[in-house]
Amino acid sequence: MRSYYPGFLIFLIHSGALAQTPTPPTTAPSPDAETDITRLPELMHFVAASYPERALSDQQQAEVVLAIDIDAQGHVEHAEVVIPAQPSGYGFDEAALAAVAQFVFTPAQVNDEPVPVRITYRYVFTLTPKPVEATSSLPAPRPVTNFMGLLKTRGTRTPQRGVIVTVFRGDDDHAQGFETTTDADGRFRFFDLAPGDWRVFIDPPGHFPVRETETLTAGERLEVSYLVEKQDYNPFDVLVTALRPVREVNRATLSAQEIERIPGAFGDPLAVVTNLPSVARPVGGMSDEIIVRGASPEDTRTYVNGVEVPYLYHFGGLRSVIPAGMLEAIDFYPGNFSASYGRGTGGVLDVRPKELKPERLGGYADVSILDTGLYLEAPLGDLGALAIAGRRSYLDFLLNAAIPEDAPVKMSMAPRYYDYQLLGTLRLSENQRLKLFFYGANDEMRLLFKNAGDIAVGLDSGKLGAEISLHRGVIEHLMTLGPGLVNELSLAIGRDKETEDVFGTYHIYLTSWQEQLRDTLRWQVAQQLRLNLGLDLIRRSADWDVHVMRPPDKEGERAVATDADVVRTAKATVVENAPAAFLEAEWAPTERLLVVPGVRIDRMDGVEEVSVDPRLTLRCGISDALTVKGGVGQFHQQPTDDELHESFGNPALRSESAWHT
């Protein structure tokens, strides 16, 4: 089977033509390709090869035969030389390989399905000598570069490779024009252009075009530098690769760019969530808890890229524990969330770290009246990228400086918080990627009253303090198993700690370890159907020592108290396993209708129950301006540890159940 492609002119040189012309490629299919391949790839984006300077100087010509592997999206995965150029040593092989690596084809197809394919491609380097007067015996002069330039991206100053640069002059009846292509460093050059004004036109994909007029002077060479501006800027990400499909009826997604522009949040990403509809804070507002549609704060689950965390805010909700520089977006579900989430009957807040793709070293400093944060990111060559961030408050310095020495109270540790993050991505191969994310936060406050007796009779100590902390380490592995088949695996381990001391009389000591494993297999069965199958396993061990005043009665309890109930004491070690599995389908029977059925199965150790939660959401586009959405689902949640302990609750409690519609 042979397929011919149109030839392309690389560039022309005024006053003596010099040309490189690729010849039509031929496919090299397997023996049964005629019965398998129903449509061959077609070359859509051509990139010119740079003519080797030594070959140009020695007037050498050659041809190179290459084998090109094209993936199912039409991109060149690999290219290799099958028949090298002769004569060798001039760099023809390398120039041809560098050019074809940037080619873009329409995908080959088998029964209308895109498939990878290998083709052969013959690239011919030819020289067309300058015409010489018949009466002249002098050799033709070598081309002289009199207009050259550099093309880069504004802001990042990265070279624009493989972009066509056109120069022209004259009107429609007497137009004269030439074009060339930028090399790997973003450089271009023209030879022997006549003196005078030349119009320059450059139109890089995804950028605003360049339209300039340059004046050339006889006997001089003009060098220019153009900075092209991107049509759409995202200050937190260089390249947007894809958008997640819209599935949930009630999901609100806030990108990092949107978060920065919302007033009243001081650029803090998670503070924006409290401004969304259906979200409130407890009375007083200074709390790190959020109330979603009237549900208790513990009914709403918080995640960082699918990994459960106990909290996302520092003391009083002043700051979030993840900085804006680390974020791609925040997904907030006030209800009817996906079957991939569970163990909650309220809402879901999932923070997605950014996909690192820095092209050079960069970062920022965030200075406010509360704290100072630093963010730094850098590429690691072809391996991946690395980002590091940290923040520390200085309220303790300010308050301690403001409190007089003779004051009855001294802040040995004023409200102080810090957090840290380390994010790295590694490309293991063409179809495997590894992401490492380590982060943590700590909040602490200590007060010292000089005379404890002034507070209450019988107090032996005037110390009052509290500390909370979280630390997480996450490893994520993304692997493409085949066409339409992707597996995402993540393993997380972390420690959480909470300490409260009240005048040496009452205390809460809580330390817990949590291990979580999530594995999701995404299978694109057909163009209209995708299946998501996953496991969500959590193991938690907690030690707590509590000696406190009797908590207020909870909803549904009888308010009966005796003297023995004034103080409650409990020590316990809790070890729980919470395995879960889920299955979800995304079915689009028509262009305007999306049906997402799902089911989740959870095992709850604390109440020894297994829950089966069916869920269904629908999206129907009535018109381009109107979409109808709906959903219904069941959700289960285990009572908290204190609710199941005999000193504070009832060990016979069962799980909570809720229906979202």
Side-chain angles (χ1 to χ4, degrees):
M1 180 182 295
R2 183 177 294 269
S3 175
Y4 294 96
Y5 295 77
F8 287 82
L9 181 66
I10 304 306
F11 56 82
L12 294 178
I13 307 303
H14 177 59
S15 183
L18 169 67
Q20 306 158 230
T21 306
T23 61
T26 59
T27 59
S30 58
D32 60 346
E34 293 190 10
T35 60
D36 289 343
I37 299 178
T38 56
R39 180 179 177 184
L40 292 173
E42 297 181 7
L43 184 60
M44 299 298 293
H45 177 66
F46 174 79
V47 176
S50 299
Y51 210 105
E53 292 187 3
R54 182 181 164 212
L56 185 65
S57 175
D58 294 350
Q59 296 289 289
Q60 293 291 335
Q61 303 180 135
E63 70 175 51
V64 184
V65 179
L66 308 104
I68 306 176
D69 292 333
I70 305 171
D71 64 17
Q73 286 74 43
H75 298 287
V76 176
E77 288 188 322
H78 177 70
E80 60 185 28
V81 176
V82 178
I83 302 177
Q86 294 297 331
S88 61
Y90 281 95
F92 288 114
D93 296 347
E94 293 78 4
L97 283 171
V100 301
Q102 304 176 65
F103 284 7
V104 178
F105 298 79
T106 60
Q109 294 184 356
V110 174
N111 297 327
D112 296 330
E113 290 291 329
V115 296
V117 70
R118 166 172 283 203
I119 67 170
T120 58
Y121 193 97
R122 187 162 60 95
Y123 209 120
V124 178
F125 294 82
T126 59
L127 291 169
T128 302
K130 291 177 59 177
V132 182
E133 294 293 336
T135 58
S136 175
S137 60
L138 297 176
R142 295 178 59 183
V144 176
T145 301
N146 62 342
F147 179 40
M148 62 185 301
L150 180 63
L151 188 64
K152 291 186 176 183
T153 303
R154 182 182 299 275
T156 61
R157 294 188 176 270
T158 54
Q160 286 280 335
R161 307 178 180 92
V163 177
I164 296 176
V165 181
T166 304
V167 295
F168 59 96
R169 67 178 181 176
D171 52 28
D172 294 339
D173 296 331
H174 302 86
Q176 185 182 29
F178 308 97
E179 45 178 51
T180 186
T181 307
T182 58
D183 60 16
D185 297 324
R187 300 185 181 278
F188 63 89
R189 63 183 65 200
F190 289 91
F191 304 85
D192 297 329
L193 293 179
D197 292 340
W198 289 86
R199 283 176 285 177
V200 182
F201 177 72
I202 310 173
D203 190 12
H207 297 71
F208 291 105
V210 174
R211 294 182 176 90
E212 296 287 348
T213 299
E214 305 292 353
T215 302
L216 302 183
T217 304
E220 296 182 2
R221 182 173 67 187
L222 177 64
E223 296 185 13
V224 298
S225 180
Y226 298 128
L227 298 177
V228 293
E229 185 173 358
K230 296 177 66 175
Q231 293 179 353
D232 183 24
Y233 278 93
N234 182 342
F236 301 98
D237 215 346
V238 176
L239 178 64
V240 177
T241 57
L243 292 176
R244 289 191 176 185
V246 177
R247 300 177 311 187
E248 275 65 50
V249 171
N250 291 310
R251 182 175 73 173
T253 298
L254 297 170
S255 68
Q257 186 177 12
E258 293 170 329
I259 290 167
E260 188 182 48
R261 298 175 181 175
I262 295 178
F266 301 99
D268 190 82
L270 297 178
V272 177
V273 175
T274 60
N275 295 330
L276 295 177
S278 73
V279 179
R281 282 188 177 181
V283 176
M286 294 299 291
S287 173
D288 56 2
E289 298 177 328
I290 60 174
I291 298 173
V292 179
R293 290 183 174 172
S296 299
E298 61 266 22
D299 294 343
T300 294
R301 289 290 177 258
T302 53
Y303 300 85
V304 176
N305 214 29
V307 175
E308 286 195 25
V309 292
Y311 64 94
L312 289 171
Y313 299 92
H314 288 294
F315 272 147
L318 295 175
R319 282 288 197 176
S320 58
V321 300
I322 306 293
M326 285 283 184
L327 288 186
E328 174 73 21
I330 300 173
D331 291 333
F332 173 61
Y333 309 81
N336 281 107
F337 42 82
S338 165
S340 61
Y341 298 104
R343 307 185 183 94
T345 58
V348 164
L349 185 62
D350 195 355
V351 177
R352 284 191 275 131
K354 70 188 298 184
E355 294 294 331
L356 289 178
K357 296 180 189 290
E359 298 184 3
R360 60 186 65 239
L361 180 67
Y364 68 83
D366 179 14
V367 181
S368 72
I369 60 174
L370 300 175
D371 52 42
T372 294
L374 299 175
Y375 174 79
L376 186 67
E377 64 180 19
L380 300 178
D382 295 333
L383 294 177
L386 183 68
I388 186 171
R391 174 167 44 200
R392 211 273 191 192
S393 68
Y394 31 74
L395 283 174
D396 49 342
F397 300 120
L398 299 178
L399 291 177
N400 279 326
I403 297 176
E405 290 293 334
D406 57 351
V409 60
K410 181 66 175 177
M411 288 190 172
S412 59
M413 177 66 72
R416 185 269 298 148
Y417 58 84
Y418 69 81
D419 56 62
Y420 64 90
Q421 301 82 26
L422 175 64
L423 177 63
T425 57
L426 296 174
R427 288 185 285 272
L428 303 180
S429 64
E430 294 181 354
N431 61 341
Q432 293 189 75
R433 186 192 64 187
L434 195 67
K435 179 186 287 186
L436 308 175
F437 193 23
F438 299 93
Y439 57 96
N442 182 273
D443 296 53
E444 187 174 2
M445 180 178 67
R446 304 288 177 193
L447 298 177
L448 177 61
F449 292 87
K450 295 182 177 180
N451 189 352
D454 293 341
I455 303 172
V457 178
L459 290 182
D460 297 328
S461 171
K463 295 181 179 179
L464 177 66
E467 179 182 3
I468 58 173
S469 64
L470 72 87
H471 304 276
R472 288 290 185 278
V474 186
I475 300 177
E476 298 180 16
H477 180 257
L478 177 65
M479 183 174 185
T480 302
L481 302 175
L485 196 61
V486 178
N487 189 77
E488 298 178 13
L489 174 67
S490 68
L491 178 63
I493 184 171
R495 191 195 72 167
D496 307 314
K497 185 178 180 181
E498 179 179 353
T499 301
E500 296 182 23
D501 287 306
V502 182
F503 306 125
T505 304
Y506 308 108
H507 64 262
I508 296 177
Y509 305 132
L510 170 64
T511 302
S512 65
W513 287 86
Q514 176 179 296
E515 300 89 36
Q516 182 173 358
L517 183 145
R518 287 182 64 94
D519 187 51
T520 305
L521 181 66
R522 307 186 189 278
W523 180 24
Q524 193 73 43
V525 181
Q527 185 175 0
Q528 299 82 12
L529 178 63
R530 186 172 81 165
L531 297 179
N532 302 319
L533 175 64
L535 295 175
D536 182 8
L537 313 178
I538 289 183
R539 183 185 185 276
R540 186 173 65 92
S541 59
D543 293 312
W544 47 293
D545 180 355
V546 180
H547 183 76
V548 297
M549 296 287 291
R550 181 181 183 274
D553 295 321
K554 293 192 175 183
E555 181 180 0
E557 292 182 341
R558 294 178 59 193
V560 178
T562 64
D563 292 340
D565 292 326
V566 173
V567 177
R568 296 288 179 90
T569 300
K571 291 185 179 181
T573 298
V574 179
V575 179
E576 289 183 352
N577 295 294
F582 59 88
L583 175 63
E584 191 174 59
E586 300 173 35
W587 178 43
T590 67
E591 183 178 353
R592 291 185 178 273
L593 178 61
L594 177 64
V595 184
V596 185
V599 62
R600 181 182 175 95
I601 303 175
D602 278 275
R603 162 70 183 181
M604 293 170 282
D605 263 9
V607 292
E608 298 182 349
E609 288 184 26
V610 175
S611 64
V612 179
D613 295 338
R615 300 172 192 178
L616 175 67
T617 59
L618 300 169
R619 295 177 59 89
C620 183
I622 305 301
S623 66
D624 293 339
L626 178 63
T627 299
V628 177
K629 304 181 292 183
V632 61
Q634 189 177 25
F635 303 84
H636 279 84
Q637 175 178 318
Q638 179 176 286
T640 58
D641 291 343
D642 63 304
E643 292 172 338
L644 289 173
H645 196 275
E646 58 185 6
S647 297
F648 298 95
N650 183 359
L653 287 177
R654 312 307 296 165
S655 64
E656 301 176 18
S657 177
W659 282 91
H660 292 186
T661 57

